[in-house]
């Protein structure tokens, strides 16, 4: 396992499975619809009819699948599995949609997660004569089960999953076993409903609530045999084990949000998993791996030109600081809406990097078109496989964060920072600047999911601070060095969801104007880690204090002296200074979230803003 904990690969796709004396195809599809918030680029269903496996798939939302199914929707079936996808491997299309089948067409698999060793397994299975239809990592599971199958599906799944590295929650059906679903889990969530006369599994409890409130949460390594009204759970050695039955008291809307009040807070709380998903397979044996960038030689590049908007632009600024600090490579960063109308001096020796969570932002798209015309190669970092920006880029890196429903970017910002830090490390390595310091950064990156969990567990403290400050009309966010992009992002988060006027400033610039604004009604949010600019930042905070401004400081744990200066302190763990923007991210997001919620605003849907800005 790559990470110290068994983190879940959250919210990448949704799976359901149902088994009963008689259930309609429509029931399985309705159950699947409850998971559509987990992914919606394509969907599919497999069921057994008269001893034959039937599979229907469709690109797009689940209503497209319903159209494809037509009269089949009214069909009475005994067993069915279905999937709604958020692509990680292979573009969203009918072929890459789940369920995936083996060569015989008897076995169907739905999968949520990422199989890290799928390339090796695929080559191995091809060498044994298996024929692959899709580009997905999932298809290897169907062929592996086929390889292991000798009449007992449970045993075949047990053997097959022992070969998988990475994360999975799977549901498997076999045409010869219309009375069972086999499910397995490692690192991705899977819940089994306990109900009379019906067996039901799903990625979360939402689809189960119509049928039962009693559920079993599978644990890592568990393999389950689900028959109608009967569930058996086995450990990875095949020994039957007991799992606790939980009673769920959420309604459906709360269940969709994992029991949280808003998607935004749910998505912030998912960040440890977001980090795992973003970094999976990238740090191995002291090396930094970006197989997508195999054709890029960073040692030859003259400069990198980064284009992005909003939160993605702040992630880009972090990248500039990182790469320029550690290497001799210049990084230009510009908001896309400016870049696209300028006359930038870039050419074939400049690599252009487009950062866009949605992959659809019009200004960023136009910027890469301009950069391309000027001869630059285009790399994009996005969260949406098959999005326009990925299609128009030469190379793409996926964030694998799953859908982000809250309009204000949170977990995707964290994924961007993580990928950019690792890409920065790769550039350090490729250009020959690697030192002990970089090994330390890489080691700490691996610990980030754990560190994030610690920070997130302090959320009530941040809520208490938000209560004291929600009534202010203004906020000044300040930072220096790596703290500056964080200050900009903190101010953006606060203004976009709480409508409080907030400015993000490099702390050293205060004296050139904005300090005139400060008084007891204009608090300052200081990004104040114990880094090499700490003393400078401290002086700036003192200047603010001298104007009677209240100070909310985010400082490194163990910093006691700051208690004399700051009115409120939020501590983050000590990390190498180059990655403080990562550990600061949940703090500024939680603060903005709580302020907006306390003001009675809906942080998921801020006024005048859209999640994907496809117009100028
Ligand atoms: C919108 C969203 C922001 C996002 C920005 C850039 O303004 O509300 O949260 O940062 O677009 O989006 P992108 O998809 O290109 O990252």
């Amino acid at each position: 396992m790559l990470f110290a904990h068994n983190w879940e690969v959250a919210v990448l796709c949704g799976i359901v499975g149902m088994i009963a004396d008689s259930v309609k195809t429509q029931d399985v599809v309705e159950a699947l619809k409850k998971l559509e918030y987990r992914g919606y680029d394509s969907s599919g269903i497999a069921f057994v009819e008269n001893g034959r496996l039937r599979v229907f798939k469709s690109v797009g939302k689940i209503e497209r699948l319903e159209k494809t199914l037509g009269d089949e929707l009214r069909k009475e079936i005994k067993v069915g599995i279905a999937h709604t996808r958020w692509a990680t491997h292979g573009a969203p299309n009918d072929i890459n949609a789940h369920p995936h089948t083996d060569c015989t067409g008897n076995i169907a698999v739905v999968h949520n997660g990422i199989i890290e060793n799928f390339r090796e397994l695929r080559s191995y299975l091809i060498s044994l004569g298996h024929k692959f239809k899709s580009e997905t990592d999932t298809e290897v599971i169907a062929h592996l089960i086929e390889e292991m199958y000798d009449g007992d599906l449970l045993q075949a799944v047990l053997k097959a999953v022992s070969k998988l590295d990475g994360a999975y929650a799977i549901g498997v059906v076999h045409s010869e076993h219309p009375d069972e679903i086999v499910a397995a889990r490692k690192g991705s969530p899977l819940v089994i409903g306990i109900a009379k006369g019906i067996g039901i599994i799903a990625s979360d409890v939402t689809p189960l609530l119509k049928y039962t409130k009693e559920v079993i949460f599978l644990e890592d390594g568990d393999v389950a045999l689900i028959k109608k009204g009967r569930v058996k759970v086995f450990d990875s050695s095949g020994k039957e084990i007991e799992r606790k039955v939980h009673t769920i008291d959420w309604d459906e809307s709360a269940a969709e949000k994992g029991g949280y009040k808003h998607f935004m807070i749910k998505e912030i709380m998912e960040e440890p998993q977001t980090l795992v998903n973003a970094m999976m397979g990238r740090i191995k044996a002291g090396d930094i791996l970006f197989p997508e960038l195999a054709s890029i030689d960073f040692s030859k590049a003259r400069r990198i030109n980064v284009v992005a908007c909003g939160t993605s632009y702040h992630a880009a600024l972090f990248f500039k600081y990182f790469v320029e600090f550690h290497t001799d490579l210049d990084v230009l960063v510009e908001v896309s809406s400016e870049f696209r109308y300028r006359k930038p001096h870039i050419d074939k020796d400049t690599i252009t990097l487009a950062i866009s969570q949605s992959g659809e932002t019009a200004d960023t798209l136009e910027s890469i078109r301009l950069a391309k015309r000027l001869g630059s190669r285009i790399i994009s970092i996005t969260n949406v496989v098959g999005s326009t920006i990925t299609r128009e880029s030469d190379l793409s890196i996926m964030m694998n964060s799953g859908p982000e429903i809250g309009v204000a970017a949170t977990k995707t910002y964290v994924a961007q920072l993580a990928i950019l830090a690792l890409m920065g490390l790769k550039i350090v390595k490729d250009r020959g600047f690697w030192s002990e310091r970089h090994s330390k950064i890489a080691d700490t990156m691996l610990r980030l999911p754990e560190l994030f969990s610690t920070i997130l567990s302090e959320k009530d403290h941040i809520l208490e601070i938000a209560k004291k400050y929600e009534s202010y009309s203004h906020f000044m966010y300040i930072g220096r060095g790596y703290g500056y992009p964080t200050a900009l992002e903190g101010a953006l988060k606060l203004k976009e969801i709480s409508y409080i006027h907030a400015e993000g400033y490099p702390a050293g610039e205060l004296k050139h104007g904005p300090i005139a604004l400060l008084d007891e009604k204009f608090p300052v949010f200081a990004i104040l880690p114990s880094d090499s600019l700490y003393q400078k930042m401290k002086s700036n905070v003192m200047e603010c204090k001298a104007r009677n401004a209240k100070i909310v400081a985010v400082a490194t744990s163990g910093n006691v002296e700051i208690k004399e200066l700051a009115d409120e302190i939020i501590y983050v763990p000590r990390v190498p200074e180059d990655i403080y923007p990562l550990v600061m991210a949940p703090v500024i997001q939680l603060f903005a979230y709580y302020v907006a919620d306390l003001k009675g605003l809906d942080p998921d849907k801020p006024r005048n803003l859209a999640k994907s800005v496809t117009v100028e």
Side-chain angles (χ1 to χ4, degrees):
M1 188 83 191
L2 178 58
F3 295 92
H5 270 72
N6 291 334
W7 302 104
E8 287 191 345
V9 172
V11 201
L12 290 170
C13 313
I15 66 179
V16 295
M18 285 174 81
I19 184 159
D21 272 339
S22 175
V23 51
K24 283 203 175 64
T25 316
Q26 176 90 62
D27 297 327
V28 182
V29 173
E30 287 303 326
L32 188 66
K33 276 190 185 162
K34 303 268 191 284
L35 296 179
E36 196 159 32
Y37 75 92
R38 300 174 67 92
Y40 38 75
D41 62 40
S42 53
S43 61
I45 182 168
F47 55 89
V48 180
E49 188 182 29
N50 301 326
R52 200 162 62 89
L53 188 73
R54 302 196 59 204
V55 180
F56 294 84
K57 307 182 191 190
S58 185
V59 72
K61 293 200 155 202
I62 298 176
E63 39 182 66
R64 295 271 297 274
L65 177 67
E66 286 181 303
K67 289 209 177 84
T68 309
L69 280 162
D71 286 348
E72 303 281 344
L73 276 174
R74 284 192 293 279
K75 196 149 265 168
E76 304 271 346
I77 56 171
K78 289 195 172 13
V79 64
I81 53 173
H83 186 272
T84 182
R85 181 167 186 244
W86 186 263
T88 57
H89 295 83
N93 57 33
D94 288 0
I95 295 173
N96 289 333
H98 300 214
H100 288 284
T101 50
D102 67 327
C103 300
T104 65
N106 292 331
I107 300 168
V109 177
V110 286
H111 166 223
N112 167 28
I114 298 171
I115 304 301
E116 273 187 70
N117 60 337
F118 88 98
R119 286 186 188 84
E120 296 90 302
L121 289 172
R122 194 176 159 110
S123 309
Y124 166 70
L125 288 158
I126 288 172
S127 76
L128 296 179
H130 290 263
K131 299 263 181 296
F132 279 77
K133 298 176 278 282
S134 75
E135 302 158 276
T136 63
D137 52 339
T138 304
E139 196 179 341
V140 298
I141 308 174
H143 292 278
L144 261 184
I145 297 172
E146 176 190 5
E147 198 54 41
M148 308 295 181
Y149 180 73
D150 59 6
D152 186 330
L153 186 59
L154 173 69
Q155 290 305 323
V157 172
L158 274 163
K159 283 185 201 152
V161 296
S162 73
K163 307 277 181 227
L164 304 177
D165 287 342
Y168 54 80
I170 58 170
V172 186
V173 291
H174 194 300
S175 58
E176 289 168 10
H177 304 273
D179 58 341
E180 62 189 43
I181 296 175
V182 179
R185 164 204 158 124
K186 192 181 119 198
S188 298
L190 197 62
V191 199
I192 304 175
I194 305 296
K196 275 215 177 76
I198 183 162
I200 176 162
I201 62 167
S203 296
D204 69 34
V205 296
T206 334
L208 273 45
L209 295 174
K210 185 177 164 192
Y211 300 93
T212 181
K213 299 241 166 202
E214 310 277 282
V215 305
I216 292 175
F217 293 96
L218 284 191
E219 292 180 18
D220 277 350
D222 288 357
V223 176
L225 180 66
I226 299 108
K227 302 210 174 206
K228 58 176 166 75
R230 196 153 56 89
V231 176
K232 284 185 180 179
V233 184
F234 304 87
D235 67 12
S236 52
S237 71
K239 189 162 94 31
E240 193 172 342
I241 44 174
E242 286 281 316
R243 285 279 172 244
K244 191 171 178 255
V245 177
H246 297 259
T247 306
I248 300 294
D249 52 13
W250 299 336
D251 62 16
E252 270 182 26
S253 141
E256 209 184 27
K257 298 186 188 111
Y260 292 104
K261 188 170 174 190
H262 297 105
F263 280 107
M264 182 172 174
I265 180 74
K266 171 176 179 273
E267 286 159 0
I268 295 171
M269 297 308 285
E270 273 167 19
E271 285 173 359
Q273 290 92 337
T274 305
L275 285 161
V276 174
N277 294 4
M279 297 196 287
M280 192 175 275
R282 299 211 180 273
I283 308 176
K284 264 189 188 154
D287 211 356
I288 308 293
L289 305 175
F290 277 87
E292 310 90 326
L293 304 183
S295 64
I296 294 274
D297 188 350
F298 283 113
S299 69
K300 301 243 163 59
R302 206 146 56 88
R303 62 171 96 81
I304 301 187
N305 162 50
V306 195
V307 286
C309 301
T311 294
S312 300
Y313 168 72
H314 299 149
L317 273 183
F318 157 71
F319 181 68
K320 175 184 171 72
Y321 278 55
F322 191 103
V323 174
E324 291 189 347
F325 192 87
H326 292 279
T327 75
D328 57 354
L329 190 63
D330 285 335
V331 180
L332 317 169
V333 174
E334 194 157 14
V335 284
S336 312
S337 54
E338 283 300 310
F339 178 86
R340 64 179 285 194
Y341 293 114
R342 289 201 312 105
K343 190 175 157 290
H345 297 178
I346 60 172
D347 55 24
K348 63 173 182 29
D349 297 323
T350 306
I351 295 167
T352 291
L353 178 62
I355 307 174
S356 171
Q357 165 278 128
S358 64
E360 299 295 345
T361 303
D363 286 322
T364 305
L365 182 59
E366 284 306 327
S367 295
I368 63 173
R369 287 176 178 156
L370 170 61
K372 221 178 198 176
R373 284 199 295 280
L374 296 171
S376 181
R377 287 194 83 190
I378 316 289
I379 304 174
S380 58
I381 300 180
T382 84
N383 191 34
V384 184
V385 174
S387 56
T388 314
I389 289 177
T390 59
R391 288 201 306 274
E392 298 206 15
S393 304
D394 297 299
L395 304 157
S396 299
I397 296 167
M398 299 316 302
M399 287 151 55
N400 294 338
S401 306
E404 188 173 63
I405 314 276
V407 163
T410 52
K411 65 175 180 175
T412 54
Y413 173 61
V414 168
Q416 287 170 347
L417 292 177
I419 290 170
L420 289 165
L422 293 181
M423 210 167 136
L425 286 176
K426 178 173 167 49
I427 296 170
V428 169
K429 199 151 228 177
D430 287 1
R431 292 180 84 88
F433 290 96
W434 192 271
S435 69
E436 201 34 51
R437 176 171 180 170
H438 305 106
S439 302
K440 205 165 166 212
I441 296 173
D443 290 347
T444 313
M445 295 288 295
L446 286 173
R447 284 178 43 232
L448 278 178
E450 221 172 316
L451 298 176
F452 264 58
S453 293
T454 312
I455 299 163
L456 292 168
S457 69
E458 294 293 315
K459 67 181 191 332
D460 289 349
H461 172 55
I462 300 177
L463 168 63
E464 289 311 311
I465 298 174
K467 283 181 188 164
K468 294 192 202 163
Y469 290 85
E470 53 124 339
S471 57
Y472 284 83
S473 307
H474 309 277
F475 242 102
M476 179 73 71
Y477 282 70
I478 56 168
R480 276 175 176 261
Y482 285 113
Y484 171 47
T486 304
L488 290 178
E489 178 59 10
L492 176 63
K493 279 286 95 58
L494 190 70
K495 69 183 128 195
E496 67 184 336
I497 61 169
S498 77
Y499 318 143
I500 290 175
H501 163 230
E503 305 223 17
Y505 250 90
E509 272 290 297
L510 276 183
K511 56 184 169 296
H512 298 294
I515 201 162
L517 292 167
L518 299 185
D519 59 18
E520 67 287 350
K521 292 197 200 101
F522 206 131
V524 171
F525 198 110
I527 309 301
L528 195 60
S530 302
D531 61 8
S532 46
L533 291 171
Y534 172 72
Q535 292 302 338
K536 303 279 170 205
M537 258 309 286
K538 207 172 87 182
S539 306
N540 295 132
V541 172
M542 282 169 163
E543 288 157 15
C544 299
K545 189 91 191 145
R547 271 75 188 178
N548 294 326
K550 293 240 179 275
I551 309 291
V552 180
V554 194
T556 302
S557 54
N559 180 349
V560 197
E561 66 162 16
I562 201 62
K563 288 185 181 160
E564 293 189 4
L565 203 53
D567 297 276
E568 323 292 339
I569 307 166
I570 304 163
Y571 285 116
V572 293
R574 180 178 293 278
V575 293
E577 71 173 82
D578 318 86
I579 52 174
Y580 270 118
L582 274 141
V583 292
M584 295 286 177
V587 173
I588 53 171
Q589 295 167 353
L590 283 170
F591 182 72
Y593 169 76
Y594 284 126
V595 169
D597 187 35
L598 289 164
K599 286 168 77 83
L601 302 168
D602 180 355
D604 287 343
K605 294 192 191 93
R607 69 186 181 199
N608 309 338
L609 298 179
K611 183 79 192 156
S612 183
V613 185
T614 53
V615 290
E616 245 193 278

